[in-house]
Protein backbone atom coordinates (compact mmCIF):
# COMPACT_ATOMS: atom_id res chain seq x y z
CA UNK A 1 0.00 0.00 0.00
CA UNK A 2 1.51 3.27 -1.07
CA UNK A 3 0.92 6.51 0.77
CA UNK A 4 1.18 8.97 -2.07
CA UNK A 5 -0.92 11.99 -2.95
CA UNK A 6 -0.46 13.64 -6.34
CA UNK A 7 0.77 17.20 -6.29
CA UNK A 8 -1.97 18.64 -8.39
CA UNK A 9 -4.58 17.67 -5.82
CA UNK A 10 -3.01 20.24 -3.52
CA UNK A 11 -2.92 22.79 -6.32
CA UNK A 12 -6.59 22.32 -7.19
CA UNK A 13 -7.50 22.63 -3.52
CA UNK A 14 -5.47 25.82 -3.34
CA UNK A 15 -7.27 27.20 -6.39
CA UNK A 16 -10.66 26.39 -4.87
CA UNK A 17 -9.78 27.99 -1.54
CA UNK A 18 -8.40 31.08 -3.25
CA UNK A 19 -11.57 31.43 -5.30
CA UNK A 20 -13.69 31.03 -2.20
CA UNK A 21 -11.81 33.85 -0.53
CA UNK A 22 -12.13 36.06 -3.58
CA UNK A 23 -15.88 35.37 -3.70
CA UNK A 24 -16.18 36.34 -0.07
CA UNK A 25 -14.34 39.60 -0.67
CA UNK A 26 -16.68 40.36 -3.54
CA UNK A 27 -20.02 39.61 -1.91
CA UNK A 28 -19.64 40.44 1.78
CA UNK A 29 -20.09 43.89 3.28
CA UNK A 30 -18.73 43.37 6.77
CA UNK A 31 -15.07 44.49 6.69
CA UNK A 32 -14.02 41.93 9.29
CA UNK A 33 -15.42 39.10 7.19
CA UNK A 34 -13.63 40.61 4.21
CA UNK A 35 -10.39 40.45 6.18
CA UNK A 36 -11.07 36.81 6.98
CA UNK A 37 -11.53 36.14 3.29
CA UNK A 38 -8.19 37.81 2.58
CA UNK A 39 -6.69 35.43 5.13
CA UNK A 40 -8.27 32.54 3.24
CA UNK A 41 -6.60 33.70 0.03
CA UNK A 42 -3.21 34.12 1.72
CA UNK A 43 -3.48 30.62 3.14
CA UNK A 44 -4.28 29.21 -0.28
CA UNK A 45 -1.12 30.83 -1.62
CA UNK A 46 0.84 29.41 1.31
CA UNK A 47 -0.42 25.94 0.45
CA UNK A 48 0.87 26.39 -3.09
CA UNK A 49 4.25 27.58 -1.84
CA UNK A 50 4.69 24.60 0.46
CA UNK A 51 3.48 22.15 -2.17
CA UNK A 52 5.99 23.35 -4.71
CA UNK A 53 8.72 23.47 -2.07
CA UNK A 54 8.18 19.83 -1.19
CA UNK A 55 7.84 18.80 -4.80
CA UNK A 56 11.10 20.52 -5.70
CA UNK A 57 12.85 18.85 -2.81
CA UNK A 58 11.58 15.44 -3.90
CA UNK A 59 12.64 16.11 -7.43
CA UNK A 60 16.25 17.03 -6.74
CA UNK A 61 16.59 14.55 -3.93
CA UNK A 62 17.40 16.96 -1.11
CA UNK A 63 15.01 18.99 1.04
CA UNK A 64 14.38 22.51 -0.18
CA UNK A 65 13.03 25.12 2.19
CA UNK A 66 12.73 28.21 0.02
CA UNK A 67 8.99 27.80 -0.42
CA UNK A 68 8.47 27.24 3.26
CA UNK A 69 10.43 30.39 4.05
CA UNK A 70 8.27 32.31 1.62
CA UNK A 71 5.19 30.98 3.38
CA UNK A 72 6.75 32.13 6.64
CA UNK A 73 7.14 35.64 5.24
CA UNK A 74 3.54 35.58 4.04
CA UNK A 75 2.46 34.74 7.57
CA UNK A 76 4.42 37.71 8.94
CA UNK A 77 2.92 40.09 6.42
CA UNK A 78 -0.56 38.73 7.13
CA UNK A 79 -0.11 39.33 10.84
CA UNK A 80 0.99 42.93 10.27
CA UNK A 81 -1.86 43.48 7.82
CA UNK A 82 -4.46 42.14 10.22
CA UNK A 83 -3.19 44.31 13.07
CA UNK A 84 -3.27 47.51 11.01
CA UNK A 85 -6.56 46.62 9.30
CA UNK A 86 -8.38 45.86 12.51
CA UNK A 87 -7.03 49.09 14.03
CA UNK A 88 -8.45 50.96 11.04
CA UNK A 89 -11.81 49.24 11.54
CA UNK A 90 -11.82 50.19 15.22
CA UNK A 91 -10.99 53.81 14.35
CA UNK A 92 -13.77 53.95 11.74
CA UNK A 93 -16.24 52.45 14.18
CA UNK A 94 -15.26 54.99 16.81
CA UNK A 95 -16.06 57.85 14.44
CA UNK A 96 -19.14 56.56 12.67
CA UNK A 97 -20.57 53.70 14.76
CA UNK A 98 -21.02 51.80 11.54
CA UNK A 99 -18.49 49.84 9.54
CA UNK A 100 -20.57 48.76 6.56
CA UNK A 101 -18.18 49.09 3.63
CA UNK A 102 -20.85 50.56 1.38
CA UNK A 103 -21.31 53.54 3.69
CA UNK A 104 -17.68 54.16 4.53
CA UNK A 105 -16.71 55.72 1.25
CA UNK A 106 -14.53 58.66 2.27
CA UNK A 107 -10.97 58.57 3.48
CA UNK A 108 -11.36 61.86 5.32
CA UNK A 109 -12.30 61.34 8.95
CA UNK B 1 -7.52 5.62 -4.63
CA UNK B 2 -5.48 4.64 -1.64
CA UNK B 3 -5.78 5.46 2.00
CA UNK B 4 -3.69 8.62 1.74
CA UNK B 5 -5.90 9.95 -1.03
CA UNK B 6 -8.98 9.19 1.02
CA UNK B 7 -7.57 11.12 3.95
CA UNK B 8 -6.61 13.98 1.68
CA UNK B 9 -10.12 14.19 0.29
CA UNK B 10 -11.61 14.17 3.77
CA UNK B 11 -9.40 17.01 4.99
CA UNK B 12 -9.68 18.96 1.75
CA UNK B 13 -13.47 18.60 1.72
CA UNK B 14 -13.67 19.78 5.30
CA UNK B 15 -11.49 22.78 4.50
CA UNK B 16 -13.63 23.70 1.48
CA UNK B 17 -16.87 23.34 3.42
CA UNK B 18 -15.54 25.42 6.31
CA UNK B 19 -14.35 28.09 3.85
CA UNK B 20 -17.84 28.15 2.39
CA UNK B 21 -19.32 28.65 5.84
CA UNK B 22 -16.83 31.46 6.45
CA UNK B 23 -18.10 33.44 3.52
CA UNK B 24 -21.79 32.57 3.75
CA UNK B 25 -22.52 32.57 7.45
CA UNK B 26 -24.24 35.81 8.49
CA UNK B 27 -22.76 35.82 12.00
CA UNK B 28 -19.13 37.08 12.01
CA UNK B 29 -18.25 35.17 15.19
CA UNK B 30 -19.21 31.86 13.60
CA UNK B 31 -17.36 32.85 10.45
CA UNK B 32 -14.25 33.28 12.57
CA UNK B 33 -14.74 29.89 14.20
CA UNK B 34 -15.15 28.20 10.82
CA UNK B 35 -11.99 29.97 9.73
CA UNK B 36 -10.20 28.29 12.64
CA UNK B 37 -11.43 24.92 11.32
CA UNK B 38 -10.08 25.84 7.91
CA UNK B 39 -6.69 26.80 9.34
CA UNK B 40 -6.41 23.52 11.21
CA UNK B 41 -7.25 21.56 8.06
CA UNK B 42 -4.50 23.43 6.25
CA UNK B 43 -2.09 22.63 9.08
CA UNK B 44 -2.88 18.92 8.61
CA UNK B 45 -2.18 19.27 4.90
CA UNK B 46 1.14 20.97 5.70
CA UNK B 47 2.00 17.93 7.80
CA UNK B 48 1.36 15.64 4.85
CA UNK B 49 3.68 17.89 2.84
CA UNK B 50 6.51 17.33 5.31
CA UNK B 51 6.36 20.92 6.57
CA UNK B 52 6.06 20.36 10.29
CA UNK B 53 7.34 23.77 11.33
CA UNK B 54 4.83 25.57 9.11
CA UNK B 55 2.04 23.36 10.45
CA UNK B 56 2.92 24.33 14.01
CA UNK B 57 3.20 28.00 13.04
CA UNK B 58 -0.14 27.77 11.26
CA UNK B 59 -1.87 26.59 14.42
CA UNK B 60 -0.02 28.95 16.77
CA UNK B 61 0.05 32.14 14.70
CA UNK B 62 -3.09 31.90 12.59
CA UNK B 63 -5.49 29.78 14.62
CA UNK B 64 -4.12 31.24 17.83
CA UNK B 65 -2.98 34.82 17.64
CA UNK B 66 -4.68 36.19 14.55
CA UNK B 67 -8.05 34.63 15.27
CA UNK B 68 -7.96 35.91 18.85
CA UNK B 69 -7.43 39.38 17.37
CA UNK B 70 -10.39 38.89 15.02
CA UNK B 71 -12.69 37.64 17.75
CA UNK B 72 -11.57 40.41 20.08
CA UNK B 73 -12.43 43.10 17.55
CA UNK B 74 -15.74 41.47 16.61
CA UNK B 75 -16.82 41.32 20.23
CA UNK B 76 -15.40 44.75 21.05
CA UNK B 77 -17.40 46.39 18.29
CA UNK B 78 -20.39 44.11 18.88
CA UNK B 79 -20.98 43.67 15.20
CA UNK B 80 -24.10 41.80 14.37
CA UNK B 81 -25.16 40.40 11.07
CA UNK B 82 -25.30 42.54 8.00
CA UNK B 83 -28.47 44.41 7.36
CA UNK B 84 -30.39 43.34 4.32
CA UNK B 85 -30.12 46.06 1.74
CA UNK B 86 -31.68 46.22 -1.64
CA UNK B 87 -30.70 49.68 -2.81
CA UNK B 88 -26.93 49.69 -3.13
CA UNK B 89 -25.23 47.57 -5.72
CA UNK B 90 -28.07 45.33 -6.71
CA UNK B 91 -26.77 42.25 -8.41
CA UNK B 92 -23.51 42.40 -6.49
CA UNK B 93 -23.79 38.80 -5.39
CA UNK B 94 -24.54 37.64 -8.91
CA UNK B 95 -21.62 39.57 -10.39
CA UNK B 96 -19.33 38.40 -7.60
CA UNK B 97 -20.29 34.78 -8.15
CA UNK B 98 -19.74 35.15 -11.87
CA UNK B 99 -16.30 36.68 -11.38
CA UNK B 100 -15.35 33.98 -8.89
CA UNK B 101 -16.36 31.35 -11.44
CA UNK B 102 -14.18 33.10 -14.01
CA UNK B 103 -11.21 33.07 -11.62
CA UNK B 104 -11.74 29.41 -10.75
CA UNK B 105 -12.10 28.52 -14.42
CA UNK B 106 -8.90 30.31 -15.35
CA UNK B 107 -6.94 28.66 -12.55
CA UNK B 108 -8.36 25.22 -13.35
CA UNK B 109 -7.64 25.51 -17.07
CA UNK B 110 -4.10 26.63 -16.40
CA UNK B 111 -3.52 23.83 -13.92
CA UNK B 112 -5.04 21.25 -16.24
CA UNK B 113 -2.81 22.36 -19.08
CA UNK B 114 0.29 22.12 -16.90
CA UNK B 115 -0.71 18.74 -15.55
CA UNK B 116 -1.63 17.25 -18.92
CA UNK B 117 1.28 18.71 -20.92
CA UNK B 118 3.77 15.94 -20.35
CA UNK B 119 5.31 15.05 -23.67
CA UNK B 120 4.27 18.00 -25.73
CA UNK B 121 6.27 20.64 -23.92
CA UNK B 122 9.69 19.52 -22.75
CA UNK B 123 10.20 22.89 -21.07
CA UNK B 124 7.58 21.94 -18.54
CA UNK B 125 9.32 18.70 -17.80
CA UNK B 126 9.93 19.83 -14.26
CA UNK B 127 6.19 20.21 -13.93
CA UNK B 128 5.34 16.61 -14.57
CA UNK B 129 3.02 16.59 -11.69
CA UNK B 130 1.83 13.07 -12.28
CA UNK B 131 5.19 11.66 -11.46
CA UNK B 132 5.74 13.75 -8.39
CA UNK B 133 4.39 11.63 -5.62
CA UNK B 134 4.67 12.41 -1.98
CA UNK B 135 5.77 9.97 0.58
CA UNK B 136 4.23 10.24 3.99
CA UNK B 137 6.44 12.25 6.34
CA UNK B 138 8.89 9.98 8.12
CA UNK B 139 8.12 11.71 11.39
CA UNK B 140 11.65 11.95 12.64
CA UNK B 141 12.71 15.05 10.82
CA UNK B 142 11.12 17.78 12.86
CA UNK B 143 14.16 18.94 14.75
CA UNK B 144 16.53 18.64 11.86
CA UNK B 145 14.10 20.47 9.61
CA UNK B 146 13.70 23.36 12.02
CA UNK B 147 17.46 23.70 12.31
CA UNK B 148 17.83 23.65 8.55
CA UNK B 149 15.10 26.24 8.06
CA UNK B 150 16.68 28.45 10.68
CA UNK B 151 20.11 28.34 9.13
CA UNK B 152 18.62 28.96 5.70
CA UNK B 153 16.63 31.88 7.07
CA UNK B 154 19.63 33.53 8.67
CA UNK B 155 22.00 32.81 5.84
CA UNK B 156 20.24 33.33 2.52
CA UNK B 157 17.25 35.33 3.70
CA UNK B 158 18.85 37.52 6.35
CA UNK B 159 17.87 40.88 4.86
CA UNK B 160 14.23 39.93 4.19
CA UNK B 161 14.09 38.56 7.72
CA UNK B 162 15.34 41.83 9.18
CA UNK B 163 12.96 43.74 6.95
CA UNK B 164 10.04 41.75 8.35
CA UNK B 165 11.05 42.86 11.83
CA UNK B 166 10.93 46.47 10.64
CA UNK B 167 7.56 45.76 9.04
CA UNK B 168 6.20 44.34 12.28
CA UNK B 169 7.47 47.35 14.20
CA UNK B 170 5.81 49.74 11.74
CA UNK B 171 2.61 47.73 11.92
CA UNK B 172 2.69 47.83 15.71
CA UNK B 173 3.17 51.59 15.86
CA UNK B 174 0.55 52.13 13.16
CA UNK B 175 -2.00 49.99 14.93
CA UNK B 176 -1.46 51.79 18.24
CA UNK B 177 -1.68 55.22 16.60
CA UNK B 178 -4.78 54.33 14.64
CA UNK B 179 -6.73 52.73 17.45
CA UNK B 180 -5.89 55.01 20.35
CA UNK B 181 -8.34 57.51 21.66
CA UNK B 182 -7.64 61.13 21.00
CA UNK B 183 -6.25 63.17 23.85
CA UNK B 184 -8.86 64.94 25.98
CA UNK B 185 -7.94 68.50 25.04
CA UNK B 186 -8.39 67.89 21.36
CA UNK B 187 -11.23 65.41 21.51
CA UNK B 188 -14.67 66.07 20.18
CA UNK B 189 -17.93 64.64 21.45
CA UNK B 190 -18.33 61.01 20.51
CA UNK B 191 -19.99 60.30 17.23
CA UNK B 192 -19.70 63.83 15.94
CA UNK B 193 -17.62 64.50 12.89
CA UNK B 194 -15.10 67.24 13.01
CA UNK B 195 -15.64 69.89 10.39
CA UNK B 196 -12.58 71.63 9.16
CA UNK B 197 -12.65 74.53 6.73
Amino acid sequence: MSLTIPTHYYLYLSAILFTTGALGVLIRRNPIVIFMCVELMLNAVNLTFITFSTQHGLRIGAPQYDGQIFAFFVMVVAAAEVAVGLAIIVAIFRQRHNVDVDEVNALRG
Amino acid sequence: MNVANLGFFLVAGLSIVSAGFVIFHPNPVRSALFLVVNFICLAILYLTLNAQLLAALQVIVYAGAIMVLFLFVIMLLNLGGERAREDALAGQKFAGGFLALVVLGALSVGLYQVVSAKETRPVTDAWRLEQMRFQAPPGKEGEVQIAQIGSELFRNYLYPFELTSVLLLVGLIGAVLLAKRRLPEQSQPEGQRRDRP
Side-chain angles (χ1 to χ4, degrees):
Chain A
M1 184 182 69
S2 64
L3 287 176
T4 58
I5 303 170
T7 302
H8 58 272
Y9 287 5
Y10 290 95
L11 299 179
Y12 279 120
L13 173 65
S14 173
I16 292 171
L17 286 179
F18 186 88
T19 309
T20 310
L23 178 66
V25 171
L26 288 175
I27 67 174
R28 292 303 294 263
R29 290 198 176 91
N30 190 333
I32 292 182
V33 180
I34 290 176
F35 266 109
M36 290 184 208
C37 295
V38 172
E39 297 300 315
L40 270 180
M41 295 162 80
L42 289 172
N43 270 289
V45 175
N46 269 351
L47 182 61
T48 305
F49 270 132
I50 294 174
T51 303
F52 279 139
S53 173
T54 306
Q55 180 203 358
H56 185 52
L58 283 180
R59 182 167 182 80
I60 68 173
Q64 292 292 305
Y65 296 119
D66 294 327
Q68 295 193 24
I69 289 174
F70 269 78
F72 174 73
F73 286 140
V74 170
M75 278 188 188
V76 173
V77 173
E81 169 240 337
V82 165
V84 174
L86 291 179
I88 289 174
I89 291 173
V90 170
I92 288 173
F93 184 81
R94 192 165 281 158
Q95 285 221 332
R96 297 175 179 246
H97 296 278
N98 180 20
V99 289
D100 195 304
V101 292
D102 283 339
E103 297 178 1
V104 181
N105 52 12
L107 279 176
R108 184 175 172 274
Chain B
M1 174 69 74
N2 54 39
V3 178
N5 281 1
L6 197 61
F8 175 83
F9 282 129
L10 277 179
V11 178
L14 184 56
S15 71
I16 292 172
V17 168
S18 61
F21 273 114
V22 169
I23 69 169
F24 286 122
H25 205 285
N27 189 347
V29 176
R30 296 196 181 167
S31 288
L33 295 180
F34 279 116
L35 193 57
V36 171
V37 174
N38 189 29
F39 287 164
I40 290 174
C41 289
L42 280 174
I44 294 171
L45 291 181
Y46 293 169
L47 281 181
T48 67
L49 287 170
N50 200 17
Q52 292 92 355
L53 175 64
L54 264 296
L57 283 180
Q58 175 85 10
V59 174
I60 293 170
V61 174
Y62 267 120
I66 292 183
M67 294 319 296
V68 165
L69 197 58
F70 269 112
L71 286 173
F72 182 77
V73 171
I74 291 171
M75 292 179 179
L76 178 73
L77 302 188
N78 198 11
L79 294 176
E82 298 170 14
R83 289 171 297 150
R85 302 165 45 124
E86 296 85 9
D87 48 351
L89 291 180
Q92 183 187 11
K93 286 185 168 51
F94 177 74
F98 176 72
L99 284 175
L101 275 183
V102 168
V103 170
L104 184 61
L107 287 174
S108 300
V109 168
L111 262 176
Y112 179 75
Q113 282 184 348
V114 170
V115 168
S116 62
K118 284 196 282 273
E119 276 75 25
T120 54
R121 287 191 291 174
V123 180
T124 62
D125 183 58
W127 301 74
R128 279 191 184 181
L129 301 179
E130 292 265 334
Q131 298 180 350
M132 302 301 121
R133 305 276 171 165
F134 288 112
Q135 293 295 326
K140 282 186 175 180
E141 300 180 357
E143 194 175 346
V144 175
Q145 187 190 36
I146 290 176
Q148 283 175 335
I149 289 178
S151 69
E152 183 95 355
L153 193 61
F154 281 99
R155 211 171 276 147
N156 295 336
Y157 292 92
L158 180 62
Y159 291 121
F161 182 77
E162 298 295 337
L163 277 180
T164 55
S165 65
V166 176
L167 175 73
L168 282 177
L169 180 66
V170 171
L172 181 70
I173 296 172
V176 170
L177 272 182
L178 279 170
K180 80 177 175 67
R181 289 188 183 278
R182 306 204 183 281
L183 294 176
E185 59 265 22
Q186 46 178 290
S187 71
Q188 300 287 324
E190 279 291 325
Q192 181 177 345
R193 293 182 53 191
R194 287 170 298 150
D195 287 326
R196 290 195 191 117

